[in-house]
Amino acid sequence: MSVLSQPRFHDESAAFAYLEAMIWADGVTCPHCGVVGGRVYKLDGVRGKPSKKNPEGAIRYGLKKCGECRKQFTAKVGTVFEDAKLPLHKMLQAVHLMMSSKKGISSHQLSRILEVQYNSAWFLSHRIREAMRSGDLSPFGSGGGVVEVDETFIGHDQTIKPKGEKKGRGYAHKHKVLSLVDRETGRQRSMVVDSLKAEDVVPILKANIAAEARVMTDEAGQYRSLGVHFADHGYTRHGAGQYVDLVDRTIHTNTIEGAFSIFKRGMKGTYQHCAKKHLHRYVAEFEFRYTHRERTGFNDAMRGEQALRGIVGKRVTYRPTTEA
């Protein structure tokens, strides 16, 4: 039996029951007054306003009323799914498809699978990416662990070189992504940066890596002073064809290079184009899937559950998404 044959992916009532169990594990929380486990009433059979598509009005699944503040709500209120017009069961299908696609799934493909308009699929995918942004600020390498640091370049930054202008052979015109991988935990953390100069990169690394960590990089100039700020700094000379230190075999950046290979193949092969204003969400998507991969104990279903836990307290509205 296929995973997508489960009731929550086809039945709206089952979809709400699944979402409620996921985000209200400690008791129903009213998103309006914040009361947890208070008096809550189920409102069954309530319909929305009549329309041409639904002359009797669409059934409002999962509707509840808070006995404290007297306001109505569903499990979608206060999450990235709030005010979404798509059925919840289709949005759960989209979450599963994005979590189980190692190199991502395009909005055009989502549009065809879910049988919705392209702009609806595009906006939904951005909602899900927002849920995948963890906001975790705990430092990598605590306890003396190894942290690999590297940067990659993607796309074309038109603020540096406008479209149509000769790009040249360097990387100045590309978007810059700085990334860290903690070897002990398998976690990845990435950020879009405007500059890779030492004065810009070092403060970022000091804020995200514990002082007792061993840091591994390549021979890039912006990393030369890291030995002053961390317990140890090892580097390999990629320009000379060296990818693992001949004496200390723990000195390499092969782990983060592997993470970048998945990111680059997904961005080039699946998404193909990405404006800088959206790049941070795509970076968060690949970071989330890499951090919650099988090696760290997650399968597709568990990865989807983890993503759904991140929908609370986040909102993405259509206009800022298109005009940011």
Side-chain angles (χ1 to χ4, degrees):
M1 181 181 293
S2 169
V3 173
L4 289 173
S5 65
Q6 295 181 9
R8 67 177 182 272
F9 294 122
H10 300 278
D11 179 73
E12 195 71 354
S13 180
F16 270 96
Y18 177 79
L19 186 63
E20 290 169 5
M22 184 66 58
I23 67 174
W24 290 337
D26 298 325
V28 179
T29 303
C30 175
H32 301 295
C33 65
V35 173
V36 180
R39 292 178 298 146
V40 175
Y41 308 101
K42 292 180 63 176
L43 302 178
D44 295 325
V46 178
R47 293 180 176 269
K49 294 180 179 180
S51 63
K52 290 183 179 180
K53 186 177 180 180
N54 291 290
E56 297 180 355
I59 297 176
R60 300 183 63 186
Y61 291 97
L63 187 63
K64 292 176 172 52
K65 184 174 182 178
C66 177
E68 310 298 330
C69 66
R70 313 300 295 174
K71 292 183 179 180
Q72 296 180 0
F73 63 94
T74 70
K76 296 194 301 181
V77 176
T79 74
V80 295
F81 293 151
E82 184 172 348
D83 290 334
K85 306 305 178 186
L86 293 176
L88 180 60
H89 70 270
K90 288 198 173 187
M91 293 194 287
L92 294 184
Q93 289 182 38
V95 171
H96 178 79
L97 290 170
M98 290 184 68
M99 294 307 107
S100 59
S101 303
K102 187 173 183 178
K103 298 179 181 68
I105 181 170
S106 71
S107 297
H108 280 294
Q109 185 69 25
L110 276 179
S111 172
R112 292 190 292 270
I113 294 175
L114 302 180
E115 297 183 329
V116 299
Q117 293 183 350
Y118 166 72
N119 58 346
S120 298
W122 179 86
F123 186 31
L124 175 59
S125 65
H126 275 297
R127 289 177 187 255
I128 297 170
R129 290 186 187 102
E130 185 66 18
M132 295 161 79
R133 295 179 66 190
S134 68
D136 180 20
L137 299 177
S138 59
F140 281 15
S142 298
V146 177
V147 180
E148 296 183 23
V149 180
D150 202 2
E151 73 286 335
T152 192
F153 304 89
I154 193 81
H156 175 203
D157 191 343
Q158 296 186 25
T159 62
I160 297 176
K161 287 195 175 183
K163 189 175 182 180
E165 187 175 314
K166 187 176 180 180
K167 302 182 183 66
R169 299 180 64 183
Y171 298 102
H173 63 282
K174 291 182 174 292
H175 303 307
K176 305 163 187 67
V177 178
L178 181 68
S179 190
L180 299 72
V181 168
D182 189 323
R183 273 193 212 162
E184 300 293 327
T185 63
R187 292 188 300 161
Q188 181 184 16
R189 184 176 297 167
S190 304
M191 58 283 293
V192 181
V193 297
D194 293 322
S195 168
L196 288 171
K197 295 180 180 178
E199 57 264 33
D200 299 313
V201 170
V202 172
I204 295 174
L205 299 183
K206 289 173 66 178
N208 288 275
I209 303 176
E212 66 270 22
R214 298 180 63 213
V215 179
M216 305 299 166
T217 70
D218 56 23
E219 75 273 35
Q222 64 265 28
Y223 304 128
R224 288 176 184 168
S225 66
L226 294 187
V228 177
H229 306 289
F230 303 104
D232 184 30
H233 174 216
Y235 63 92
T236 52
R237 297 176 176 84
H238 289 177
Q242 182 191 65
Y243 293 92
V244 179
D245 189 86
L246 297 178
V247 177
D248 186 347
R249 309 298 286 182
T250 66
I251 299 177
H252 63 79
T253 57
N254 294 340
T255 312
I256 197 167
E257 295 286 355
F260 278 151
S261 71
I262 300 171
F263 172 68
K264 297 292 270 295
R265 283 171 173 79
M267 293 302 296
K268 291 181 178 181
T270 301
Y271 297 123
Q272 300 182 24
H273 304 285
C274 177
K276 186 176 182 179
K277 64 184 179 182
H278 298 308
L279 183 57
H280 64 289
R281 292 197 182 96
Y282 286 92
V283 166
E285 175 188 350
F286 284 91
E287 173 191 306
F288 182 91
R289 278 197 299 263
Y290 186 82
T291 295
H292 300 92
R293 62 195 188 280
E294 287 192 9
R295 187 247 184 201
T296 59
F298 289 83
N299 56 29
D300 291 344
M302 295 166 66
R303 198 177 303 119
E305 292 176 0
Q306 188 69 23
L308 285 174
R309 291 188 181 98
I311 68 174
V312 180
K314 299 175 182 177
R315 285 297 309 277
V316 180
T317 53
Y318 191 77
R319 180 169 293 178
T321 305
T322 56
E323 296 179 358

